[in-house]
Amino acid sequence: MNVARLAATTAPGPKIGAIARSAVVIGSGLSALTVSLALADNGIHVGLVEKGESIGETMPDMQERTRQLTEERVQAVHEHKLVSVFNRSRITNVTGHPGTYEVQIE
């Protein structure tokens, strides 16, 4: 039954519309800050969503070099024109499918 139904289906046609080169990064640890900068440096607008008061908050047991790298990335993120930081925020809804997501941030 399922095979017959699958055989009768066709692939959807190409969608025509504007492509928004943007991404959402959740959290603001060293990895999130690094990927945010990499995306932004390649022309992709980034929305960085952080639940805390500020990005890059350090953990007490963080090694000194990791703390330094995090501080450098925080400064670079704040200065980058293609990165928007959303402090004290959370994602409340995600709709769409790969390539056409819509994300609600609260």
Side-chain angles (χ1 to χ4, degrees):
M1 180 74 173
N2 287 334
V3 173
R5 185 172 47 198
L6 181 61
T9 62
T10 58
K15 296 197 180 223
I16 298 172
I19 296 173
R21 291 179 46 91
S22 61
V24 173
V25 176
I26 302 168
S28 67
L30 181 57
S31 297
L33 295 170
T34 301
V35 76
S36 295
L37 288 169
L39 289 166
D41 287 345
N42 283 285
I44 297 172
H45 179 80
V46 177
L48 181 62
V49 181
E50 169 56 40
K51 68 179 178 179
E53 293 292 318
S54 62
I55 63 171
E57 294 178 342
T58 58
M59 311 229 349
D61 60 348
M62 192 179 286
Q63 293 180 356
E64 183 59 30
R65 181 62 184 141
T66 304
R67 189 181 324 273
Q68 289 173 342
L69 286 171
T70 301
E71 290 171 4
E72 291 170 11
R73 300 288 193 310
V74 165
Q75 185 66 30
V77 162
H78 283 302
E79 293 172 356
H80 208 294
K81 294 178 182 178
L82 291 179
V83 181
S84 299
V85 178
F86 300 93
N87 290 323
R88 296 182 309 274
S89 300
R90 64 187 182 101
I91 293 175
T92 58
N93 192 30
V94 178
T95 57
H97 50 85
T100 60
Y101 289 113
E102 287 191 29
V103 178
Q104 289 181 333
I105 301 171
E106 191 174 89

